[in-house]
Amino acid sequence: MILIKAGLACNFRCKYCYQREIRPEENVIDLEAVKNTVRNLYSQTKSQIVLHGGEPLFLGKDLVEEFLKLSYDLSGRSSVQTNGYLIDQDFIEIFKKYKTSVGLSIDGPWPCNELRGIGSREDRKKQTEKILENLDLLLEEKIPTSIIVVLHKSNAINDRLEILKKWLISLSERGVTGRLNPCCSGIEGIDLTPAELINAYDQILDLFLKRGISGWSPFRDIIAALRGDPNVVCVFRECDPFHTPAATTVLGDGGVGVCVRLYGENFYLRSPVKTDLRSRILQQTDCKGCEFWNYCYGGCPGMAIDWDWRRKDRWCPVYKFLFKRLRNILKFVGPRRSVSQPRREKSSIEHLDGSLRHLDSDLSKSHSDGIEHLDGNFRHLDSDLI
Ligand code: SF4
Ligand code: SF4
C-alpha cells in the first residue's frame, strides 16, 4: 500500500493518537515532489494508493482532489482514511468523481467515541454526532465505506462494550464492516489489558457467530491466515521494520518512509531492501516453537513489547487466543470443498435411513451401507451413484 502522508496536521487531538509526537500544527507540502514519488512507487509496485494523514480532508478540497485524481489517473480508483468530521456534499462529489473508497475512523456512538475529537466533552459529543451523520450521508450516496474502530477502555469494557456491540450489529445490518484494532498508545488508563482485549474480542465474536455476521477484522484476517490466504492484514505478514512492505509512506517533501506506526519522535526513511532479520531473531527468542508462527510471524513491530522491534507484538496472548478459537471453528466446519468435488445436484431428494428421514447426503462419494432409503416415492438400498 502506498500511503500519501503528505500532511500530518489534524483538526482533532485524539487522546491515543500514535502520531501525537510528530504531528505538526500546519502542513508544509512540496506538491510536485509528492506526486513524483507516488508516480514512481506506483510504477514499481502497482500497490493501492491511500490518502492518509494526519487528517487528509484537513488538507483542503483542492489538495484532496489533486491527490485523489492522481490516484485515480494511475490506478482507476482512490481511497482515503479520514476521521470523517469534515465530510460535506463537495467532498462527496469529489469521492464520486474519483471512485473513492472511504475508511472512517470512529470508535462507536457517544460515549464510546469520547477519546476522539478536540475540545471539551460537550464539543467531542457534538463532533461524534456529526461524524455519524456524515456516515449516513456516505451510505446514502453509496460511497464504499468501511470503519476502523480502535478498542480501548472507553468502548470495550463493561457497559460501553454493550453499546459498541449494538452499534456493530446496526452497522453490519447496513452492510458496513471494518476493523476492530487494539489501541496501542502506551497510556495505562486508555489501552486495554490483554485480558480485557480477549474478553472484548470473545464477546464480539460470539455475537457475530450468533448473528451470522462476517467480514470484520481481526477475525477475517485470522481466518484468512489460518487458511493460507496471502491476503491478510500487515500485522500477520512478517513485517520488516526497515522496509514495512505493506505500508510505504510518502512524506510532505516527497521522501519515502516506513510505516508511521514505527515513528516515535523521529521519522525513518525506508530501506529499499526487505530483510527477514526480525523474523530470524523472533524465531530464536520470543516466538521460539510457537504453533502459530506461520500465521502470525510475531505480529506488528510497531506494537512490540517495550517498543523494541526485536520483541514480539505485545498482543501475543490475544492473538494466541483468537488463533486457537478460530482454528477450532474451522476444524468444526471442516475442509472446504474443492472445485473438483462439486455438490451433487441430486442431494435434495428426501431419504429414509432406517427410522431416520433426511435429505440426500452431500458426501462426495456414494454411500452404500445397505440402509434402505426412500428417494421421493422410490424405496431402495443405498445407491452406488457418485
Ligand atoms: S509496522 Fe505494524 S502496522 Fe506498520 S506495516 Fe508493519 S505490521 Fe503493519
Ligand atoms: S502468537 Fe505470539 S509467540 Fe506466536 S508467533 Fe505470534 S507473537 Fe509470536
Side-chain angles (χ1 to χ4, degrees), residues 81-267:
Q81 183 64 42
T82 171
N83 63 37
Y85 184 68
L86 298 173
I87 290 173
D88 61 11
Q89 201 58 44
D90 292 344
F91 275 123
I92 295 280
E93 296 311 318
I94 294 173
F95 297 158
K96 284 182 180 169
K97 197 165 164 190
Y98 300 110
K99 290 198 184 333
T100 307
S101 315
V102 176
L104 196 69
S105 300
I106 178 168
D107 298 345
W110 190 263
C112 290
N113 197 45
E114 67 182 355
L115 300 180
R116 298 188 59 84
I118 188 166
S120 67
R121 200 171 155 73
E122 194 52 35
D123 292 339
R124 284 178 281 125
K125 183 168 186 268
K126 285 190 185 138
Q127 288 152 15
T128 300
E129 286 159 4
K130 171 83 175 124
I131 296 164
L132 288 171
E133 280 170 24
N134 289 344
L135 172 60
D136 290 342
L137 182 61
L138 287 165
L139 297 180
E140 276 161 27
E141 297 282 355
K142 306 213 176 335
I143 307 287
T145 304
S146 61
I147 305 288
I148 290 187
V149 178
V150 174
L151 299 178
H152 42 63
K153 284 194 161 61
S154 289
N155 68 354
I157 54 174
N158 305 330
D159 55 328
R160 299 286 178 88
L161 181 57
E162 297 309 314
I163 300 172
L164 182 72
K165 280 159 55 183
K166 281 195 188 119
W167 185 63
L168 293 176
I169 292 172
S170 71
L171 286 177
S172 303
E173 284 170 347
R174 299 169 81 190
V176 178
T177 63
R179 300 193 171 282
L180 303 166
N181 290 342
C183 185
C184 200
S185 65
I187 303 169
E188 215 173 289
I190 291 182
D191 292 352
L192 297 169
T193 63
E196 286 168 338
L197 184 57
I198 286 173
N199 177 57
Y201 279 146
D202 197 30
Q203 287 201 37
I204 294 169
L205 179 58
D206 275 345
L207 180 72
F208 285 177
L209 287 170
K210 195 169 160 196
R211 299 267 184 154
I213 294 171
S214 63
W216 285 87
S217 189
F219 314 120
R220 179 190 64 195
D221 285 300
I222 288 179
I223 288 171
L226 288 166
R227 283 178 161 165
D229 182 343
N231 187 22
V232 295
V233 69
C234 54
V235 170
F236 303 128
R237 269 203 269 163
E238 203 169 23
C239 185
D240 166 9
F242 299 101
H243 181 78
T244 58
T248 303
T249 57
V250 181
L251 306 170
D253 62 358
V256 179
V258 294
C259 173
V260 173
R261 263 260 163 234
L262 290 156
Y263 293 139
E265 293 169 5
N266 302 308
F267 288 90

